Amino acid sequence: MKKPLNQTCYKFFSCLSNPTRIATIEMLLEKPMSVNEIAFKLGEEQSMISHNLKPLIECNFITSNREGKKRVYSINKETINNLLKIVKNHAEKYCPKSGKCIIKEN
Amino acid sequence: MKKPLNQTCYKFFSCLSNPTRIATIEMLLEKPMSVNEIAFKLGEEQSMISHNLKPLIECNFITSNREGKKRVYSINKETINNLLKIVKNHAEKYCPKSGKCIIKEN
DNA sequence: TATTCATATGTAAAATTATTCATATAAACT
DNA sequence: AGTTTATATGAATAATTTTACATATGAATA
């Protein structure tokens, strides 16, 4: 593409534009977990979660740490919390009816 | 899905996870523009840009305003600037080599 | 070093999203 | 009202992304 495209933004946001990955992030906000734990709690397959963890790691939204046999994933709280704050703010302003967005015509 | 999925987050981020829409946002950060103007500057078709403006409007990332024959689109600076600040911050910390991300193994 | 447990990866199929092209709508001006 | 200019929309196709399944890798321990 010959657009003045900001690659960073694209990678950043597309990493977050997936229900499984958002759910995973929500899980990890509670506490660090292994792939199997996330998979079990979300009722999904381990390999599926594993595939979805990859872009999250690549974008540094989560980090991983080996603990014995397990590999434990933790959230990058700084970025994620700041992001969620903005989303929350935006949603409160524009989607006040429990997630139903308001669009004003002009 | 039976996941504790945050619908708002998903819509929010998936709206931003597209090169054309990011490029459009970048254009509109400079100044408000019509569809044709954006399309011309990006070297894309008008209908294509029009299709891509729709989700941006629905998510209130941009607003539109009729001015005579034209319809002018403006950016929601508050949300967008706050977002970009976070992306920039994150990228500076984790992708210092001009967009090349750093992943630390553990 | 064989076995087990935990996780990652390759790849084909399924699902979703984007783009293109043709056409519809809508406002302004004659 | 008819014409022009600007934008939106529908729908088929193309492109991308996601998921599922089989299997590979890797660390720990018997």
Side-chain angles (χ1 to χ4, degrees):
Chain A
M1 264 213 264
K2 59 251 169 177
K3 293 172 194 166
L5 160 69
N6 189 326
Q7 273 280 129
T8 309
C9 280
Y10 174 59
K11 247 207 148 188
F12 188 99
F13 292 123
S14 57
C15 183
L16 298 168
S17 72
N18 172 294
T20 303
R21 292 197 287 275
I22 294 179
T24 299
I25 286 173
E26 287 182 333
M27 297 270 96
L28 294 180
L29 276 171
E30 287 172 34
K31 68 174 172 57
M33 289 182 204
S34 69
V35 193
N36 269 325
E37 203 173 349
I38 300 166
F40 177 75
K41 289 207 180 181
L42 295 180
E44 302 286 353
E45 274 200 27
Q46 172 270 318
S47 81
M48 190 267 226
I49 299 300
S50 208
H51 276 299
N52 276 293
L53 286 173
K54 201 187 224 170
L56 289 171
I57 291 169
E58 272 171 12
C59 281
N60 286 277
F61 290 135
I62 65 179
T63 55
S64 83
N65 224 307
R66 189 166 273 283
E67 286 181 13
K69 279 188 192 176
K70 293 191 179 179
R71 177 170 287 277
V72 175
Y73 292 91
S74 315
I75 200 103
N76 175 340
K77 279 193 186 170
E78 199 200 331
T79 298
I80 296 297
N81 279 336
N82 284 337
L83 265 183
L84 293 186
K85 232 177 278 170
I86 291 181
V87 178
K88 203 182 147 211
N89 241 2
H90 185 86
E92 269 169 12
K93 196 161 170 188
Y94 299 106
C95 326
K97 314 254 173 188
S98 63
K100 258 279 183 187
C101 290
I102 279 179
I103 299 161
K104 31 179 196 278
E105 259 309 307
N106 222 315
Chain B
M1 265 215 261
K2 59 248 168 180
K3 293 172 194 166
L5 161 69
N6 189 326
Q7 274 281 129
T8 309
C9 280
Y10 175 59
K11 248 207 146 187
F12 189 98
F13 292 123
S14 58
C15 184
L16 298 168
S17 71
N18 172 295
T20 303
R21 293 198 286 274
I22 293 179
T24 299
I25 285 173
E26 287 182 333
M27 297 270 96
L28 295 180
L29 276 170
E30 287 172 33
K31 68 175 170 61
M33 291 182 204
S34 69
V35 194
N36 270 323
E37 204 172 349
I38 299 166
F40 178 75
K41 291 207 180 182
L42 295 181
E44 300 286 354
E45 276 200 26
Q46 171 270 316
S47 81
M48 190 268 227
I49 300 300
S50 208
H51 276 300
N52 276 293
L53 286 173
K54 202 187 225 170
L56 289 171
I57 292 170
E58 272 172 11
C59 281
N60 287 277
F61 291 134
I62 65 179
T63 54
S64 83
N65 223 307
R66 190 166 271 284
E67 284 181 16
K69 278 187 192 177
K70 294 190 177 178
R71 179 170 286 277
V72 175
Y73 291 91
S74 316
I75 199 103
N76 175 341
K77 280 193 185 169
E78 199 201 331
T79 297
I80 295 297
N81 280 336
N82 284 336
L83 265 183
L84 293 185
K85 230 176 280 171
I86 291 181
V87 178
K88 204 182 147 211
N89 241 1
H90 186 84
E92 270 168 14
K93 197 162 170 188
Y94 300 105
C95 326
K97 315 253 173 190
S98 64
K100 259 277 184 185
C101 289
I102 279 178
I103 300 161
K104 32 178 195 284
E105 259 309 308
N106 221 315

